[in-house]
Amino acid sequence: YNIFYGGFATRKGDLEACRQLATPLKKEMLRQYEEQKERYEEELAAWENTPKASRGKAPKEPVRKSPLIAANSSASAIYRQLDANGGSGAMYETEGDTLTNMLMKSEYGDYSDLLRKAHHHELCSMIRVSDKIFIEIEKPRLAVLLTCTGSQLPLLLPPSNVANGLASRFLFYALPDSKVEFRNVFKKSDRAVEDHYQEMGQRVLALHEALLLRKDHPIQFMLSTEQQERFLQMFNAILQEQFY
């Protein structure tokens, strides 16, 4: 989980273009869903026209997948989308308030526990008897990227979210404001930055499809012995500094 924060004119808005990395994959998922939906409706019509005595099981309606999960969702909707995606997804918001507002709605929107569990790929489950919902995600794989101003951080991560461990799940990147300048909104470019990221998104789509083929034997990255020692030394020093 990552939070980019900074003051005015630190160009946080440029990170909006990163959303285009998921556009090709999102379009491909939508195309597959529409094909499945059309086939489902044909099979359902045929099933309904079959005499009841000889009917088999009703065809199962497909679920719509999306690589991006909106933070402005109820806890139930987050669970449903993660489940539809096979346990994976990315939450990307350019205003930290979007997530803050949902975490404050304890009646239906607060999914702080889901964020904390998913960070460590712990089992996430939900049962709703009234809606006949049973969802169990064994190893959720959720990524979160937020941008906000420094003043939004205390609202997003108040003492309660520090004490329960949510804040410790995030990496914080402070955008430097040493060179604050008004962006030239009239500057012309031969190529929009969004186009560049959509092109990169095609590579992300190819990578996604390649990793799906390795689902039964995923790639595992390991730190070398030297890197492990440096890792432990650095974070032990940080922990000691913060604790004492």
Side-chain angles (χ1 to χ4, degrees):
Y1 299 171
N2 300 275
I3 295 179
F4 287 82
Y5 68 96
F8 301 105
T10 51
R11 307 197 67 162
K12 298 186 302 298
D14 289 358
L15 292 169
E16 167 64 18
C18 297
R19 193 188 301 272
Q20 302 301 325
L21 288 171
T23 297
L25 177 57
K26 185 177 180 180
K27 289 182 178 178
E28 175 60 20
M29 287 182 169
L30 176 59
R31 184 193 66 79
Q32 293 178 4
Y33 169 75
E34 290 176 343
E35 286 184 355
Q36 295 168 357
K37 183 73 171 178
E38 184 177 354
R39 186 162 55 251
Y40 161 76
E41 291 174 348
E42 293 174 353
E43 293 175 352
L44 180 63
W47 181 82
E48 290 176 340
N49 291 327
T50 302
K52 291 185 178 180
S54 57
R55 282 181 183 176
K57 289 185 177 180
K60 187 176 182 180
E61 185 175 0
V63 292
R64 183 170 178 174
K65 299 179 181 181
S66 174
L68 297 178
I69 300 176
N72 187 11
S73 304
S74 66
S76 177
I78 298 291
Y79 272 93
R80 289 176 188 237
Q81 191 61 66
L82 269 177
D83 187 50
N85 292 350
S88 65
M91 187 178 291
Y92 181 53
E93 298 292 346
T94 55
E95 290 293 343
D97 289 350
T98 305
L99 180 58
T100 300
N101 293 336
M102 297 311 300
L103 296 183
M104 292 175 63
K105 296 179 178 179
S106 57
E107 291 185 3
Y108 65 90
D110 186 1
Y111 44 83
S112 171
D113 61 327
L114 170 62
L115 292 175
R116 284 176 273 138
K117 292 177 181 177
H119 183 269
H120 295 298
H121 313 296
E122 297 173 0
L123 174 69
C124 295
S125 58
M126 182 186 71
I127 297 177
R128 295 291 183 271
V129 176
S130 58
D131 297 327
K132 297 181 180 180
I133 298 175
F134 177 82
I135 296 176
E136 190 171 78
I137 306 171
E138 291 189 0
K139 293 184 179 180
R141 301 173 304 283
L142 179 65
V144 180
L145 175 62
L146 306 174
T147 65
C148 65
T149 63
S151 61
Q152 290 176 315
L153 280 177
L155 299 175
L156 174 62
L157 300 171
S160 60
N161 281 337
V162 174
N164 66 22
L166 179 60
S168 66
R169 266 70 169 182
F170 282 91
L171 294 176
F172 297 85
Y173 295 84
L175 299 174
D177 56 2
S178 57
K179 184 182 179 182
V180 178
E181 59 183 3
F182 188 79
R183 183 174 182 179
N184 183 358
V185 296
F186 304 104
K187 184 179 180 180
K188 294 182 178 180
S189 174
D190 295 334
R191 189 183 189 195
V193 66
E194 289 81 5
D195 294 339
H196 174 70
Y197 275 94
Q198 283 200 34
E199 182 179 302
M200 293 176 64
Q202 292 294 338
R203 295 164 58 186
V204 172
L205 174 60
L207 178 61
H208 172 78
E209 294 174 344
L211 291 176
L212 285 179
L213 296 176
R214 298 185 59 97
K215 188 174 182 179
D216 296 331
H217 49 289
I219 298 172
Q220 183 176 14
F221 292 89
M222 300 291 292
L223 296 178
S224 67
T225 301
E226 179 184 356
Q227 289 172 328
Q228 292 176 20
E229 291 175 355
R230 290 172 57 192
F231 180 94
L232 294 173
Q233 290 175 1
M234 183 181 75
F235 282 100
N236 183 60
I238 294 176
L239 177 62
Q240 296 295 325
E241 178 184 356
Q242 295 296 321
F243 190 81
Y244 295 109

